[in-house]
Amino acid sequence: MVSTGDECCSLPLETLQGEWIASRGEVITVSGKDLLINGFPVAGGLKLRGDGKSVYGFSVYHLASQRADNGQIAWQAGHQEILWRRSELGEAKSLEARMGVRLHDRASTCGGQAYDVQSDAEAVSRLNTLLDQWREPSLVRVPSCDICPDWTNRAQTGLSLDHVHYIATMISRNGFKSRRRGLGTADGAHDVPVLIRERCTSALGGAALTRWKEVVAGNPWFPHFMLGGKEEFFCSLGNGHFSQALNLFRCEAKNLWTEIPYLVHRDDALREALEDGVESVVLSGEMPAKDRRFVSEMLNKTHGGTWHVEADGRVRIEGSTTTDYSQFVALSKVLDAEELSCLVRQKMGVVLNSLL
């Protein structure tokens, strides 16, 4: 049943016109019922009551109050709260310009430049050399409950909670795309995880374990900490968000925006991935931090084309990516956790509207 908004708080449409700044820095523009976030249109715009003059929500968010307290408007979706405040003179344009430059720089700059690597081809060559040097002979099936992020991953900013839930939401909507069952990147299958075999007694392993435990303890919307009492575990250099998205299903956590539990239902491919693990490239725990950082950044930043990890553990790049989805994937690999969360919230307006 589609909500008419009669049971929700609402504000006059005219009250929301103009520019706002959201609590995490996004620039909001309202024109009529059209809604832009950082210049990107939100599918469906503002949601209006039957009178066409009162706003009660947008995307999966609904108004949390009948009033604009202290010039702020509060929106709620599950536990997520967003506050809008009025933009000061010139503030919105300044923020939009700054965000645009930052996203462009991060998306267009090959991460290898910091490592004296001049092209994707050169980066992949060096990447394969390191993988050959440190990897185990064959792919290993690793269950997601044995994985946490490596401390070098995503420039030490950690995982984006929003992106973990985005991946889980896409699995809920589209089903699990299993490489083991013959699907590939073109079919929407996941990247092959690249992991470090670690121990809790090693310096890098212990640091990663401690940090992940702190992150999970500080935010219950991440999946539960599942590495307690395990002497050996795995740290993700590539595809860490994917592993934790699987863990959301493992503990039947609630969706960040809808609070609907992530359930396996009849998805046999997903059940197989949870029970048997996912084929992964596994690297030695003896791999130095500088090499881990290079591998992590190259896997995330060699996005001029689509990269694949083959069954023999080698990486190749093919083709150029030009679709909106591919641009989103490219940005999702290169942004830090906070920037990625902003990007995901823009994307989720389209995805979640199709689920509700």
Side-chain angles (χ1 to χ4, degrees):
M1 180 178 177
V2 178
S3 173
T4 62
D6 292 338
E7 71 281 13
C8 304
C9 298
S10 65
L11 286 172
L13 178 60
E14 62 184 26
T15 301
L16 276 72
Q17 300 301 301
E19 293 180 334
W20 302 79
I21 305 298
S23 47
R24 295 181 74 170
E26 302 99 317
V27 175
I28 310 297
T29 305
V30 178
S31 177
K33 70 179 293 289
D34 294 333
L35 174 64
L36 301 179
I37 299 180
N38 287 339
F40 293 90
V42 174
L46 295 173
K47 295 180 178 179
L48 306 181
R49 283 186 173 175
D51 61 10
K53 299 179 180 180
S54 302
V55 177
Y56 68 89
F58 70 92
S59 183
V60 295
Y61 292 91
H62 60 82
L63 275 169
S65 173
Q66 290 283 152
R67 301 177 302 172
D69 295 324
N70 299 318
Q72 292 188 333
I73 296 177
W75 305 88
Q76 197 84 29
H79 90 293
Q80 289 272 78
E81 183 180 66
I82 295 177
L83 295 177
W84 290 5
R85 63 170 176 81
R86 276 297 180 187
S87 170
E88 297 178 2
L89 182 64
E91 183 182 13
K93 288 186 178 180
S94 175
L95 283 174
E96 278 187 334
R98 196 181 315 157
M99 177 65 77
V101 169
R102 189 159 72 242
L103 294 183
H104 179 270
D105 287 348
R106 289 186 182 274
S108 62
T109 300
C110 173
Q113 290 178 355
Y115 297 92
D116 195 27
V117 175
Q118 302 304 315
S119 67
D120 279 357
E122 187 177 345
V124 170
S125 176
R126 182 171 169 185
L127 180 58
N128 278 322
T129 297
L130 286 173
L131 293 179
D132 286 343
Q133 179 181 354
W134 295 107
R135 71 180 178 86
E136 297 182 3
S138 58
L139 297 181
V140 180
R141 289 186 180 181
V142 179
S144 59
C145 57
D146 289 345
I147 300 173
C148 74
D150 189 80
W151 77 280
T152 61
N153 203 359
R154 201 162 290 275
Q156 301 184 41
T157 62
L159 299 184
S160 160
L161 176 65
D162 298 73
H163 196 46
V164 171
H165 278 267
Y166 170 79
I167 294 173
T169 300
M170 296 301 290
I171 293 173
S172 291
R173 187 179 78 163
N174 301 326
F176 184 76
K177 308 296 184 182
S178 173
R179 286 184 175 272
R180 189 182 306 168
R181 298 189 174 204
L183 298 181
T185 303
D187 305 303
H190 58 85
D191 292 337
V192 176
V194 178
L195 311 173
I196 298 277
R197 189 183 292 274
E198 268 295 1
R199 300 187 66 82
C200 62
T201 53
S202 75
L204 294 179
L209 198 65
T210 298
R211 182 174 183 187
W212 182 236
K213 189 173 184 178
E214 291 173 349
V215 168
V216 171
N219 194 326
W221 290 86
F222 274 114
H224 303 157
F225 184 75
M226 301 180 182
L227 299 174
K230 296 182 180 180
E231 292 188 4
E232 185 177 89
F233 59 98
F234 298 84
C235 290
S236 57
L237 292 181
N239 227 10
H241 289 90
F242 165 74
S243 298
Q244 298 311 318
L246 290 182
N247 283 338
L248 290 175
F249 286 93
R250 191 179 294 278
C251 61
E252 298 187 351
K254 291 182 178 180
N255 185 290
L256 181 63
W257 299 280
T258 67
E259 297 196 15
I260 298 172
Y262 294 109
L263 301 176
V264 176
H265 293 300
R266 297 181 180 179
D267 192 333
D268 292 336
L270 176 57
R271 189 180 307 279
E272 181 180 63
L274 293 174
E275 293 179 353
D276 299 341
V278 173
E279 285 79 0
S280 307
V281 175
V282 174
L283 309 176
S284 168
E286 299 299 316
M287 188 179 197
K290 64 180 180 65
D291 288 344
R292 297 184 187 205
R293 191 174 301 113
F294 178 84
V295 169
S296 177
E297 294 199 16
M298 290 307 100
L299 291 179
N300 286 328
K301 293 182 179 180
T302 53
H303 60 266
T306 302
W307 67 267
H308 305 275
V309 179
E310 305 293 353
D312 62 359
R314 294 185 66 79
V315 175
R316 66 180 173 86
I317 287 184
E318 66 176 27
S320 61
T321 56
T322 57
T323 67
D324 288 341
Y325 174 75
S326 296
Q327 290 170 3
F328 173 76
V329 171
L331 283 169
S332 74
K333 290 175 178 292
V334 75
L335 301 180
D336 67 28
E338 183 65 22
E339 293 165 336
L340 178 53
S341 290
C342 290
L343 181 70
V344 170
R345 284 193 293 276
Q346 295 169 15
K347 186 77 172 177
M348 287 309 294
V350 176
V351 175
L352 287 175
N353 278 337
S354 69
L355 291 176
L356 298 176

